[in-house]
């Protein structure tokens, strides 16, 4: 039974909000159980909230939410409209409430600096990655950087670096240089975890097959792998002869079967296989 476009859209929205929720809770867990108890400051507005918590005892989650409100309004107006605004607002609220809601139960899981830095960064990065996959953000300096880019043309990476540098400089005088070194380790680990989550399930392999037997290979790929294939005409640079080139994109797990098909049909075929970061369309990630 074919699912209607309306129900597919509803299912996609529900999936996105599930990812937003899980991502926000993971980020809150990293902050509350790994970073705050061990005085490891993060970048962005969460880092500012941690510093204020140290200086004057304000709740971390409440400060994160309050500082985000003007940025959320500006982001709604100038950046991504309703989808961006609603999803980011939802994520910030869930994360802020979770940070403070977990406070009574928060005890340092480990006192080993390497462990709480690595695991704090990994969990935070996974959470942020899930939020980004669901087309949301965790607010804060991400919105500020995009607003600065829109107004002044400054690349977001530079704005984020400048903002985080100010936060880490302030933390240097509060927590000491050793904690800042661990904070940088957290930032690096989180960035790698974010990239891993965003790339998960999206990668594929692209194959260019130069062969004298294009039709049997084309039929085998279509019927045995169920993948589309495009036939191109190419001219050899050395011989000047016209040759057929087959182009196809397959999942990582299918590359072995593809090579087996080609070797059985035409052992003399010339095959180029490359990594594809993301594929949109039928059989892969739906375009949306």
């Amino acid at each position: 039974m074919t699912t209607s476009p309306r129900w597919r859209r509803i299912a996609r929205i529900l999936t996105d909000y599930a990812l937003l929720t899980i991502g926000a809770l993971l980020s809150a867990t990293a902050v509350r159980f790994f970073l705050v108890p061990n005085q490891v400051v993060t970048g962005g507005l969460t880092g500012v909230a941690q510093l204020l918590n140290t200086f004057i005892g304000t709740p971390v989650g409440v400060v994160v939410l309050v500082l985000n409100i003007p940025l959320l309004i500006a982001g709604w107006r100038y950046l991504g409209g309703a989808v961006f605004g609603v999803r980011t607002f939802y994520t910030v609220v869930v994360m802020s409430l979770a940070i403070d809601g977990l406070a009574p139960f928060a005890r340092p899981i480990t006192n080993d600096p390497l462990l709480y830095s690595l695991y704090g960064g990994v969990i935070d990065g996974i959470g942020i990655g899930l939020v980004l996959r669901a087309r949301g953000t965790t607010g804060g300096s991400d919105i500020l950087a995009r607003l600065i880019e829109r107004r002044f043309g400054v690349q977001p990476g530079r704005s984020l670096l400048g903002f985080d540098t100010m936060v880490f400089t302030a933390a240097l005088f509060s927590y000491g240089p050793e904690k800042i070194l661990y904070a940088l380790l957290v930032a690096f680990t989180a960035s790698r975890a974010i990239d891993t989550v965003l790339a998960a399930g999206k990668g594929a392999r692209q194959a260019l097959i130069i062969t004298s037997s294009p039709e049997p290979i084309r039929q085998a790929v279509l019927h045995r792998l169920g993948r589309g294939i495009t036939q191109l005409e190419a001219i050899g640079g050395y011989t000047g002869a016209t040759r057929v080139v087959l182009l196809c994109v397959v999942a990582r797990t299918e590359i072995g079967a593809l090579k087996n098909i080609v070797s059985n049909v035409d052992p003399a075929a010339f095959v180029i296989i490359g990594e594809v970061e993301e594929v949109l369309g039928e059989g892969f990630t739906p375009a949306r």
Side-chain angles (χ1 to χ4, degrees):
M1 184 171 123
T2 304
T3 306
S4 69
R6 177 173 175 269
W7 285 109
R8 284 199 299 269
R9 181 173 177 273
I10 292 174
R12 188 161 60 238
I13 291 173
L14 292 175
T15 300
D16 285 347
Y17 272 88
L19 291 177
L20 293 174
T21 304
I22 295 171
L25 293 176
L26 285 174
S27 292
T29 299
V31 170
R32 181 51 69 188
F33 287 95
F34 290 92
L35 305 181
V36 170
N38 295 295
Q39 294 186 324
V40 177
V41 70
T42 63
L45 294 187
T46 304
V48 174
Q50 287 180 253
L51 290 172
L52 291 176
N53 176 262
T54 299
F55 293 144
I56 59 179
T58 50
V60 176
V62 170
V63 173
V64 169
L65 181 59
V66 170
L67 293 178
N68 266 292
I69 288 175
L71 295 177
L72 287 169
I73 295 172
W76 185 302
R77 180 174 180 182
Y78 297 111
L79 296 178
V83 172
F84 170 85
V86 171
R87 294 182 184 219
T88 298
F89 178 76
Y90 174 81
T91 302
V92 170
V93 168
V94 172
M95 184 176 69
S96 301
L97 293 177
I99 288 174
D100 287 345
L102 292 171
F105 313 100
R107 300 290 184 275
I109 293 179
T110 175
N111 293 315
D112 185 297
L114 183 60
L115 288 178
Y116 63 63
S117 298
L118 289 176
Y119 279 94
V122 167
I123 294 173
D124 188 39
I126 292 174
I128 295 173
L130 291 176
V131 170
L132 294 176
R133 283 194 71 143
R135 296 184 293 167
T137 75
T138 54
S141 54
D142 293 342
I143 301 177
L144 183 60
R146 292 178 64 183
L147 290 171
I148 292 174
E149 180 189 28
R150 183 182 179 91
R151 179 66 178 83
F152 301 104
V154 179
Q155 293 181 351
R158 295 183 180 181
S159 301
L160 289 170
L161 178 61
F163 192 79
D164 288 347
T165 299
M166 290 189 289
V167 174
F168 289 151
T169 301
L172 176 64
F173 298 100
S174 304
Y175 302 144
E178 187 177 85
K179 294 295 185 181
I180 299 304
L181 294 177
Y182 287 122
L184 294 174
L185 178 60
V186 170
F188 175 78
T189 305
S191 70
R192 300 303 299 170
I194 291 171
D195 291 342
T196 300
V197 172
L198 292 178
K202 294 185 177 181
R205 294 288 189 272
Q206 172 184 275
L208 289 172
I209 306 165
I210 303 172
T211 175
S212 58
S213 305
E215 186 58 24
I217 294 177
R218 187 179 70 86
Q219 291 294 331
V221 171
L222 287 172
H223 294 102
R224 288 172 55 185
L225 294 183
R227 294 294 185 185
I229 191 165
T230 301
Q231 184 167 310
L232 311 171
E233 286 191 2
I235 299 175
Y238 178 72
T239 64
T242 300
R243 298 291 298 272
V244 171
V245 177
L246 300 176
L247 168 64
C248 65
V249 178
V250 298
R252 288 189 176 104
T253 56
E254 297 171 329
I255 196 64
L258 177 65
K259 291 192 289 186
N260 186 55
I261 289 172
V262 175
S263 64
N264 287 337
V265 174
D266 183 6
F270 189 79
V271 183
I272 303 171
I273 299 172
E275 180 81 23
V276 178
E277 183 174 337
E278 185 172 4
V279 184
L280 303 177
E282 185 175 352
F284 294 93
T285 304
R288 58 178 184 175

